[in-house]
Amino acid sequence: ITREKVVMNPITAEVIENNIGYLQVMSFDEDCSVEFKQKYYELKNKGISSLIIDLRNNGGGLVQEALSIADYIIPKGKKLMITVNKKESEITTVAEEEPTIDIPIIVLVNENSASASEILVGALRENNCAKIVGTKTYGKGVIQEILKLTDGSALKLTTEEYFTPNKNKINRIGIE
C-alpha cells in the first residue's frame, strides 16, 4: 500500500464531439477549485471551444470552492453571492480576479444539485456567464457550520442563508 492523499470525488474531464470540453464536478471538496482549473487547462490545450460543467447529483460541499470556480469565470467586481445572518447583516461576495475561462459554458443541473452547486449556478446564470440546462435544483440555500464538541460528537448549526447575486431566494425553492 502506498501512502498518499486520497481524492474522494475527483473531477472528470474529457473532450467530446465538436471540441466541447466536459467537466463533471461531483462535490466541492477541499482543493476542488484547483483541480477544476487544472482540468480546464488540460482541455483548453486540447483545443476546446466551449465547455459543459456537469453539476448533476452534486450535493454541495465547501462554499469557498464553488466561489473560487465562479471567480475563474465571472468578471472581477461582479456579485457572486449574498449572505444574510440571523441578525439580518448582509454580506455581498464579489469576484476578485479577472476571468481565466472565457468560452461559452453550459451547466447541467438536476433535482440533486444542491447547496454550493446552487451558489455556482446562481452566480453564473445571473452574471450571464452560462446557460443552465436541466431540472429545478434541490433548494438548499443555507450555510451550515460543524461545531466539534469536547466529547467527540459534533453539532451542525445553520448560520446564514444565501441568495443569488440578484438576491433571489434559493432555500426550499431551488433554481429553475
Side-chain angles (χ1 to χ4, degrees):
I1 297 175
T2 303
R3 185 180 180 112
E4 62 183 313
K5 182 177 180 181
V6 176
V7 178
M8 295 299 293
N9 293 295
I11 295 175
T12 303
E14 64 180 296
V15 177
I16 55 179
E17 61 188 63
N18 299 323
N19 292 326
I20 299 170
Y22 173 84
L23 289 170
Q24 182 182 36
V25 183
M26 292 304 296
S27 69
F28 293 98
D29 296 330
E30 186 176 350
D31 296 328
C32 164
S33 60
V34 173
E35 183 182 1
F36 181 95
K37 192 174 193 178
Q38 290 169 343
K39 297 283 187 176
Y40 167 74
Y41 279 114
E42 288 173 16
L43 294 174
K44 185 177 179 181
N45 290 336
K46 292 179 181 178
I48 64 167
S49 56
S50 59
L51 182 64
I52 295 171
I53 301 172
D54 191 346
L55 299 178
R56 293 174 296 176
N57 301 313
N58 180 323
L62 301 172
V63 171
Q64 187 54 52
E65 294 297 321
L67 292 173
S68 292
I69 291 171
D71 211 356
Y72 300 150
I73 301 166
I74 297 171
K76 184 177 183 175
K78 296 284 189 175
K79 292 180 188 176
L80 301 179
M81 170 180 76
I82 299 168
T83 57
V84 178
N85 66 20
K86 294 184 186 306
K87 294 179 182 178
E88 300 298 318
S89 295
E90 192 173 291
I91 298 173
T92 300
T93 304
V94 299
E96 297 177 357
E97 305 291 330
E98 291 299 335
T100 57
I101 300 174
D102 60 352
I103 58 177
I105 298 172
I106 291 179
V107 180
L108 304 179
V109 296
N110 66 8
E111 67 279 358
N112 297 317
S113 303
S115 194
S117 292
E118 293 169 298
I119 290 172
L120 179 57
V121 169
L124 293 174
R125 183 177 76 175
E126 292 185 4
N127 283 291
N128 298 312
C129 293
K131 292 185 188 294
I132 312 305
V133 177
T135 57
K136 185 167 72 166
T137 63
Y138 183 82
K140 183 180 179 283
V142 293
I143 296 174
Q144 298 170 319
E145 292 181 22
I146 296 175
L147 304 172
K148 294 180 182 177
L149 304 176
T150 56
D151 67 355
S153 63
L155 176 68
K156 186 183 279 189
L157 183 66
T158 300
T159 57
E160 297 172 298
E161 183 172 12
Y162 68 83
F163 299 85
T164 65
N166 294 339
K167 205 161 183 195
N168 290 310
K169 183 179 176 84
I170 293 172
N171 200 43
R172 299 183 183 190
I173 296 171
I175 298 174
E176 291 284 337

